[in-house]
Amino acid sequence: MTFEHKFLTFPEIVNTDLETGRIYTLPDGTQYPSVTTILDRADDGSGLAAWRARLGRAEADRQGRIAANRGTKIHTMAENYLLNRDNVTKGQMPVNIEMFNFLRKKLDNISVLYGIECGLYSHALKVAGRTDIFAKYKGVDSVVDNKTSKRDKEAEWIESYFIQTTAYSIMLEEMFKIEVPQIVVLITTEQGSCQEFIRPSHEYREKTIALFKEFNV
């Protein structure tokens, strides 16, 4: 498949990782925390702590490294695929290729790509970040975020993903004075599936604005 590219011009934002989280420096020197840093502040961490306690520190660290590496590899394949590059799976491990192939079927719903790894910010939310994909998905302009997981998720478990993508839609609308009607979360799992969650961007807008106002301090 060949994707049509109508790239917008996104600013160069520079990230710096601190003990307190990631910050981005905008071209004018303004510094804002990342979207994920704010979401981490809002999360009480009980779920992660319970998981680490159940597995033990060493095993939790091992699984965390494997998951992070796998996510990076699949993300890279997806990016190269959307940029119409050849041999996107060359040199990748079979399990990663298999997971990418499930994701690819969903990516084929994209007709026009406006941006990939887009640097974004919002003066209203006082936050910055990078969204995986801004594209026309199933005919609707959408923020699209790719995730990987060991197993399928229920929608009620991933509200933070919806808030994250909603924040990116707010940034796009503020920066480019456009409407972004839809958010899409794609979760590729080791169980052999790619889940697709599609929501109107306004569904989580009020909650997103309230959360960033409360925890962006």
Side-chain angles (χ1 to χ4, degrees):
M1 177 157 178
T2 301
F3 298 95
E4 181 181 358
H5 294 163
K6 292 184 178 180
F7 292 135
L8 301 176
T9 301
F10 295 93
E12 291 294 330
I13 60 175
V14 180
N15 65 278
T16 304
D17 291 326
L18 307 173
E19 288 186 4
T20 53
R22 172 169 293 182
I23 62 168
Y24 282 97
T25 303
L26 310 188
D28 67 358
T30 301
Q31 292 187 324
Y32 287 141
S34 70
V35 173
T36 51
T37 293
I38 302 303
L39 290 174
D40 285 345
R41 290 177 188 171
D43 186 354
D44 64 12
S46 58
L48 178 60
W51 175 75
R52 291 184 64 85
R54 186 170 65 252
L55 291 182
R57 180 178 178 180
E59 179 60 17
D61 287 346
R62 187 188 73 84
Q63 290 197 22
R65 287 192 298 270
I66 291 172
N69 181 67
R70 177 162 295 161
T72 298
K73 299 296 186 184
I74 293 170
H75 188 93
T76 299
M77 285 187 277
E79 180 176 329
N80 287 332
Y81 181 61
L82 290 169
L83 293 174
N84 298 323
R85 293 172 178 164
D86 296 327
N87 302 317
V88 299
T89 62
K90 184 177 180 180
Q92 297 288 349
M93 294 177 61
V95 64
N96 293 341
I97 294 173
E98 182 179 19
M99 289 180 69
F100 166 70
N101 284 333
F102 288 111
L103 172 61
R104 181 170 59 181
K105 294 176 183 178
K106 299 298 184 183
L107 295 178
D108 286 346
N109 289 312
I110 291 173
S111 53
V112 182
L113 184 65
Y114 303 124
I116 192 164
E117 284 297 304
C118 315
L120 302 173
Y121 60 85
S122 167
H123 293 309
L125 297 180
K126 298 186 184 303
V127 72
R130 296 185 187 278
T131 185
D132 289 345
I133 301 164
F134 178 39
K136 192 176 290 294
Y137 189 92
K138 292 188 173 179
V140 181
D141 287 348
S142 308
V143 169
V144 183
D145 205 42
N146 299 327
K147 307 289 187 183
T148 55
S149 174
K150 289 184 69 68
R151 56 186 60 86
D152 288 351
K153 305 284 191 182
E154 299 292 336
E156 57 265 29
W157 301 347
I158 60 168
E159 184 177 70
S160 64
Y161 296 169
F162 298 138
I163 290 174
Q164 180 182 11
T165 47
T166 298
Y168 294 141
S169 73
I170 292 171
M171 294 183 204
L172 282 161
E173 291 178 352
E174 179 181 326
M175 291 172 63
F176 294 98
K177 312 303 179 188
I178 57 176
E179 182 182 3
V180 183
Q182 186 167 272
I183 56 174
V184 180
V185 176
L186 303 176
I187 304 178
T188 312
T189 77
E190 295 178 21
Q191 293 179 317
S193 66
C194 183
Q195 295 179 279
E196 175 191 71
F197 297 89
I198 299 177
R199 299 289 186 272
S201 60
H202 64 76
E203 183 173 338
Y204 290 87
R205 186 175 296 262
E206 289 187 9
K207 190 161 191 174
T208 298
I209 293 171
L211 183 145
F212 279 82
K213 182 177 181 180
E214 179 179 0
F215 290 96
N216 193 357
V217 293

